[in-house]
Amino acid sequence: MTAPQILGPDARPLAPQVRAAARVQMAKNRAMSSAAYQGAAYDHPNFAKWDVGNYSGQTALSWSRRTLVDRLNDVARNDGWGAAGTSRLVDNIVGAGWRLAARPNHVSLNMTFDQAEEISDRIEALWRDYTNDVDNWCDAERTKTMAGILGLAARQRFGPEGEAFGIIIWQEDAPQFSTAVHVIDPARCCNPNGRMDEEFLRDGVAIDGYGAPQGYHFRKSHPGDVYAGNTGIWSWEYVERATEWGRPVVVHSFEQKRAGMTRGVSDWAPVMRSIKQSTDYEDFESQAALLNAVMAAFIETPFDPEEFLDAMGAEVNTGTLGKLYGEMAEAQKAYYGAAPIEIPGVRINMLQPGEQAKLMKPEHPNANFEAFVNAALRKIASAVGLTYEQLTMDWSQVNYSSARAALLEIWRGFTAKKGNFAAQFMAPIYRAWLEEVFDRRLVEIPAGAVPFDENPAAWCHADWIGPGRGWIDPLREAQAAGERLERGLTTLQHEAAEQGRDWKTDADELAREVRYYAERGLKHPAMGDGMVGHNGGAPLDDQDQDTEIEEQVNGRRSTRHALGIPSIRRRT
């Protein structure tokens, strides 16, 4: 007999060197069954059957992403903890929206600091007009302001999908700015016609030799949109990542947990089993408690109707059993009807001879139910970057020290998530919009300054002010902030941003309030013992204030208006 041949993927016999390498690997596997690291051994009972594949980050995700995301979306729809956790993350990272603090790099743009500040004020004012437009022209669907766009994208990024997509479109009919954002469901990004992943195509993303995205394949309709006449399910559109001159077109935000990943995976994925187990356990305990409530008591009896009928030679079936029970009930009713037992205000139920009522003892929920569920919730909260108290809204066991420590730790995580999300999602949108602003010549730059198209990165420097960290003890923390400011350890910009505020807007508002109080001969609380006027001088009288406001409105001065609106010259 000839030795059997082992064929390779091409249906040809394996080369001798391949077979030799396989024998060497098998010998290594046998030798490593008892390894120096117990975690890599196979002779330990806990690891004997723990044999996992060697997957890359993207390969592991590509095979599992659809099922994983579908299950997580089911959790978000039907599980209270899953829905609450995503909402808490969005509330803490995005809140009611982000404020722009433009920070163009005046050094590399060949401007003075004051020139850059004046331009920043103008850009911020235009951004407020764009993002808070009551007609929602910043949204391709015309249903959301920029805060709504951010919230929706964040719900996908920090929720079941683990990533957020958006396409920056151009709307010719827009009244002011043509740049708009269309948030795309991540399920629409996939390989056309179900193609397998290829060297330069990974789960709907076309990449180059370094793995950098070059473009994206989007279904024209969500795969779950099943309705009559919907042909978009089987149609794909390829969208370039950016235009040939560098304007962003597709924005894609996700956390690359391993090198080479082109798609995102949710932070909820590692705790899927805990979520399912705790939910099932809660359901089973609820069902058991319900049964205890419904089945409050049982009747124990030594009487067996089937044996009684059998002894009498009667046929045992449903009819004879029912007849026997009926006759017994009628006899009992006649007996107690002839000699009733009456006790005022009390109801007495009679049992058959030999019968005994046995009340059920409620044993649900189990004594360990709360401890088990709380342990699962702590693991879930830790995995997604929340505290147990934030996830469950249970603050009963919190004191100042523990709350302060938890807030500081969690805030670092929120800051990191916000920074990553801002860089990947908001920054490209801001860059595209700012390009349009300069193209429309809505901002004048000083002579000699570097134009936008020559250094867009320097023009796009910005801080995004999100929701405030909040205070646990406002008095203590305000005193600490004042001490830091007095010692020069922080700035108003930093302190205000931590509470979700813009120090410039606050200063303008404070100046307006001070002038309003001065007009009425009142002392503003923020002024302490003395009342000072504009730029530290004496309070302005009515004529001086009218002159200052008139100069600002007519553009004779380049200062900022008291309400924070940059001065704009009136057209003649």
Side-chain angles (χ1 to χ4, degrees), residues 72 75 79-86 89 158 266-279 282 372-392 410 417:
L72 284 171
V75 168
D79 181 71
W81 299 122
T86 301
L89 287 168
F158 303 108
S266 175
D267 290 337
W268 294 85
V271 289
M272 276 283 295
R273 184 169 56 184
S274 295
I275 295 173
K276 188 72 169 81
Q277 288 175 342
S278 62
T279 302
E282 184 179 350
F372 175 85
V373 172
N374 286 347
L377 291 175
R378 292 182 190 278
K379 180 163 65 172
I380 294 169
S382 178
V384 301
L386 294 169
T387 65
Y388 165 81
E389 290 79 14
Q390 286 175 312
L391 177 62
T392 63
I410 290 299
K417 292 177 185 294

Side-chain angles (χ1 to χ4, degrees), residues 138-160:
C138 65
D139 179 26
E141 298 177 355
R142 299 288 306 282
T143 59
K144 301 175 287 295
T145 62
M146 188 59 70
I149 292 173
L150 262 183
L152 176 58
R155 190 166 291 277
Q156 294 178 346
R157 167 65 181 83
F158 303 108

Side-chain angles (χ1 to χ4, degrees), residues 55 57-68 196-197 203:
Y55 302 105
Q58 182 55 41
T59 300
L61 181 60
S62 293
W63 284 102
S64 309
R65 189 178 61 81
R66 180 171 179 177
T67 301
L68 182 65
M196 296 289 290
D197 280 356
D203 209 355

Side-chain angles (χ1 to χ4, degrees), residues 507-571:
D508 291 336
E509 180 66 22
L510 182 60
R512 186 183 72 87
E513 291 179 0
V514 168
R515 287 196 296 270
Y516 190 85
Y517 266 62
E519 288 176 2
R520 285 152 180 77
L522 301 174
K523 184 178 72 173
H524 192 278
M527 303 313 295
D529 295 333
M531 180 70 71
V532 296
H534 192 62
N535 293 329
L540 297 173
D541 57 25
D542 292 348
Q543 183 177 357
D544 290 335
Q545 289 182 31
D546 292 342
T547 302
E548 183 184 42
I549 295 173
E550 180 66 18
E551 287 178 344
Q552 290 183 10
V553 173
N554 288 328
R556 296 172 188 166
R557 299 179 56 181
S558 59
T559 57
R560 189 180 174 113
H561 189 269
L563 294 179
I565 306 172
S567 301
I568 302 175
R569 293 182 181 272
R570 289 180 174 173
R571 294 182 179 178

Side-chain angles (χ1 to χ4, degrees), residues 45 52 74 129 240 248 290 335 339 353 368 382 409 435 495 527 539:
V52 297
D74 181 69
D129 291 344
E240 297 277 354
L290 180 62
Y335 175 80
N368 297 321
S382 178
E409 189 65 30
E435 179 185 78
E495 294 295 333
M527 303 313 295

